[in-house]
Amino acid sequence: MDIARTPATPDGNIEMADAAFEPKAPPEIRREDYTPFPWLVPATHLTFELGLEKTRVTARLEVERNPAAEVSPTIRLNGDAIELVSLKCDDGECAGHMIDGDDLVVTLEGDKHTIEIVTEIDPSANSQLMGLYASSGMLCTQCEAEGFRRITFFPDRPDVLSTYTVRMSGPKDQFPILLCNGNRVETGEDGDTHWAEWHDPWPKPSYLFALVAGDLVARTDSFTTMNGREVELNVYVREGDLDRTEHAMESLKRSMKWDEEVFGREYDLDLFNIVAVSDFNMGAMENKGLNVFNTKYVLADPETATDGDYDGIEGVIGHEYFHNWSGNRITCRDWFQLSLKEGFTVLRDQLFSQDMGSAPVKRIEDVRVLRGAQFPEDSGPLAHPIRPDSYREISNFYTATVYNKGAEVIRMMRTMAGEEAFRKGTDTYFDRHDGEAATCEDFVKSIEDGAGLDLTQFRRWYSQAGTPRVRVDLSHEGDEAVLKLSQTVPDTPGQTDKQPMPIPLKIALFDRESGKHSGEELVVLDKESDTFRFGSFASKPVLSINRGFSAPVTIQRDIPGEDLVFLAARDDDSFARYEAMQDLMVGHLVSASTGVLSDADRETGRRDIVRALKAVIEDEAIDDLMRGELLSMPSQTYIAEQIEAADPGRIFDEREALKGFIASELKEELHRLYDRSEKLPYSQSAEAKGARKLKTLILTYAAASDPAKASELAGHQYDRADNMTDRQGALMVLTGIDSIERTNALIDFYNRYEGNALVIDKWFALQAMSLHPQVIEHVKALADHQDFTMKNPNRVRSLYMAFAGNPHGFHAASGEGYRMIADLILALDPINAQTAARFVPSLGKWRKMEPGRSAMMRAELERISKAPKLSRDTFEQVTRSLG
């Protein structure tokens, strides 16, 4: 599953609970308490009589005792918000049964039984979007992690694998398309009703069950696998969206081919369906043979989708397809093993995207996401290992740590083993555990055996939370360069006194005069400290370290600005060059924001930065996609993470001042670069995409030095744009400037795309993310807009998640931004708890803020914690954030 990549409004008048009210904490689930389920379910037969307001489900479960588990006289079938209509055991009455909380507990005396359960549900009332729910007149499901229990009573856990046969029927005018997992076996009609029967031959857990029924049209194609299997491919969408599905289909075919070539994985059914759904909590879901997607990750054409949207669609489609093996054929034993499938699959989709586009730029993008989302998680109250030890609500562990850090940990194995040996390790894993519910340990052991590595100490990456800090010191002794490295893993909630972990660091030592190095080397720091010596250096070289971001660590070093300028201008590793440029700017801005920068050092630092940026502009050996990354400033959020008690207002002022200085000093160079970029016609070539990236980036610099001129230039770009990337980029800049061009562009954008939900989401988000001084008032007004609704997660995220990620507005000194997000959480929680809970971490960063803001953020968390009937999702996030 891919986590989502970014009507009355809450008004602050939410009725609060009595001071004496204490929400009940949900029970803690611990990994060490795992035991096998006492019953196997070899086969599941489901019959659906479909209706938007009433769907009847008949589940016939074939169960038998699990020889690997302790004998139990009962079977516990999980349920949640469903009505039990009838129950039979072996076609007769059950010996005994009871409802225990939400669960159905049935007494079974023999070794094998058939249990028949009839339930009724109301999909139209399911605002949580888990289980079977209605979306714009269609029915669809989302069952990961624990949604299947909202459809029928079942042992809803990932280690209970079953083959599914499904018969679904409904009005053919309302539900002309009936889809489910696996292969379609048979179809038929009965008057105004029609039916379809599906069978999935591959045993799967209930979280991978999927059903879709609605009025849909499909783009159809086919793919021939490496062993000659002809697979029918369909991308189902609403009427009117079909012409925006070509990129999705091509991305799917590229994914299938790549997985065969790189990992040797062949698709195993006759059919692969994708369905786009407008109401969806996540980005997409990998259900076997029937992937359900948020429309955001399916629909694209140049007029409505940016270059980033195109890349996102390709990456998410790849991610869900790759799950067919890393998640479906081999699934998780329990939810503590979530990174087994998600971390591995994120790595696979990252490698796929690298091969489809610019590998260096993709690597930088992935690291930016890691640092923007996972590093703060690791340093805050929600820190947890990639294989957690406990949880109260599993949906809260669909985190950047499990996904993105999980991918980095597996990437480190690949770096240490080498690509060829790593492939042997993954082949061992797939061969050894196909058809099983496996663990993270099973994966590590397979890589260890297949690749010939000793990963005994490496396993600490799975059990220890926190981002390691590596201290670097380079000296010169005689003709040797002496590299001293030491590591610390900071304390995190529930974990102190961390043990050293193996940290693979790619390095190169540059000769200052020639600007060359003798080759890249891999050093592995597996102790608290170690020393590495390199001969044949007449003078002290320049160190390039953690090249390609070979380890997810923070590098701490005292390096002269002159060396950073050297690396930013001359390093042959694209990531290391980007890192040097970021270090130059981050170091300067941290010092400036904390008041330790003298006037002389401020001037020197600014000149160093301009010198390095000018070298990037003039370097003809790099392409514009990479040039755009090298010219980009570090985010305000990332700068704040480097400061113990951050003052967002001061960081904003210093960052804008530096941006304005750069724009003024490099005015002519940036102007020439813009003019050159503007001449390239639209295409999806790397050259054209790089030109579009540069144009918008240059506008953001211009806005900091000469807002009036930038407004005119952005207005001109908006008016001339023949694609969404240029139009959105211009509008993004205009939203932060109080000008007539801003007003005209916002009105035009809305009128041009009214009725296109995904593009109107952009309209909301751009205003919520803007640098305009009145951004909070704008967000309030947008929450009252006729197109805003709390019932659609995409729309809620487009306004409020965008605002929560806007340090300029969210961290307003008045605290109004914090109150706005807290009010949203309280209003949204009863409607969609999973989405509401995802807003809590923005307030959970209170420990990193200066005292005034810190107190206001904590107060809002305390206010939320006292609300009555708070969901498990939000309750856990709030209580953990408070500590």
Side-chain angles (χ1 to χ4, degrees), residues 768-780:
M769 292 188 297
S770 85
L771 301 183
H772 196 284
Q774 301 299 316
V775 63
I776 291 178
E777 296 306 314
H778 294 163
V779 171
K780 289 180 180 178

Side-chain angles (χ1 to χ4, degrees), residues 667-857:
K667 182 177 180 179
E668 291 184 10
E669 290 86 349
L670 291 173
H671 185 72
R672 285 197 299 270
L673 198 56
Y674 187 94
D675 286 347
R676 172 172 68 77
S677 300
E678 197 175 30
K679 293 174 184 176
L680 277 179
Y682 179 85
S683 75
Q684 276 292 307
S685 70
E687 183 183 19
K689 290 168 71 172
R692 290 192 290 274
K693 177 191 282 191
L694 284 178
K695 283 194 290 183
T696 295
L697 179 62
I698 293 167
L699 286 180
T700 65
Y701 276 112
S705 63
D706 189 346
K709 183 64 177 176
S711 184
E712 179 184 340
L713 189 59
H716 177 72
Q717 177 171 308
Y718 181 92
D719 292 338
R720 287 171 51 91
D722 62 355
N723 63 86
M724 179 54 73
T725 305
D726 281 346
R727 184 169 289 118
Q728 178 177 300
L731 185 58
M732 179 193 71
V733 173
L734 287 170
T735 56
I737 304 172
D738 199 3
S739 66
I740 188 63
E741 289 90 352
R742 175 187 188 274
T743 302
N744 291 341
L746 283 171
I747 293 171
D748 176 80
F749 193 91
Y750 179 82
N751 290 337
R752 184 187 296 257
Y753 298 110
E754 184 179 7
N756 186 316
L758 291 179
V759 183
I760 296 302
D761 283 342
K762 298 177 187 293
W763 185 77
F764 277 96
L766 288 169
Q767 295 175 78
M769 292 188 297
S770 85
L771 301 183
H772 196 284
Q774 301 299 316
V775 63
I776 291 178
E777 296 306 314
H778 294 163
V779 171
K780 289 180 180 178
L782 287 166
D784 282 327
H785 193 277
Q786 63 182 5
D787 286 348
F788 182 77
T789 173
M790 293 279 277
K791 294 183 178 180
N792 181 272
N794 279 359
R795 189 55 46 88
V796 173
R797 287 189 289 259
S798 71
L799 181 60
Y800 286 107
M801 195 64 82
F803 176 75
N806 178 356
H808 173 56
F810 178 64
H811 291 294
S814 65
E816 194 168 2
Y818 308 145
R819 287 194 295 276
M820 181 183 291
I821 294 303
D823 287 344
L824 168 76
I825 292 168
L826 288 167
L828 185 59
D829 190 58
I831 301 169
N832 188 322
Q834 197 173 108
T835 301
R838 295 192 181 280
F839 284 88
V840 175
S842 59
L843 292 168
K845 298 176 183 177
W846 59 272
R847 292 173 180 81
K848 295 289 291 182
M849 294 295 116
E850 52 81 20
R853 287 179 173 87
S854 177
M856 290 188 289
M857 295 171 81

Side-chain angles (χ1 to χ4, degrees), residues 17-147:
D18 243 73
F21 178 82
E22 289 290 341
K24 184 180 178 182
E28 183 179 42
I29 311 299
R30 300 186 302 172
R31 179 167 56 87
E32 65 182 22
D33 294 336
Y34 170 83
T35 57
F37 193 66
W39 295 89
L40 304 175
V41 187
T44 299
H45 306 267
L46 300 173
T47 300
F48 288 83
E49 299 169 50
L50 300 170
L52 291 174
E53 296 180 349
K54 185 174 80 169
T55 290
R56 176 171 283 226
V57 184
T58 301
R60 192 173 178 86
L61 314 181
E62 297 177 15
V63 303
E64 59 186 51
R65 294 195 183 276
N66 183 356
E70 290 187 12
V71 175
S72 172
T74 61
I75 183 170
R76 177 174 291 271
L77 305 173
N78 305 119
D80 182 9
I82 52 177
E83 178 186 347
L84 176 63
V85 176
S86 67
L87 173 67
K88 293 181 180 180
C89 294
D90 302 317
D91 296 320
E93 290 188 8
C94 293
H97 71 276
M98 64 179 288
I99 296 294
D100 181 19
D102 290 324
D103 296 346
L104 172 64
V105 180
V106 181
T107 300
L108 299 175
E109 297 177 350
D111 293 336
K112 290 187 179 183
H113 297 275
T114 299
I115 304 173
E116 183 178 284
I117 307 159
V118 179
T119 57
E120 284 188 354
I121 49 182
D122 180 359
S124 67
N126 186 357
S127 66
Q128 300 292 337
L129 309 184
M130 289 292 291
L132 178 68
Y133 65 92
S135 173
S136 303
M138 65 184 287
L139 293 174
C140 57
T141 57
Q142 170 56 32
C143 292
E144 188 178 356
E146 295 177 340

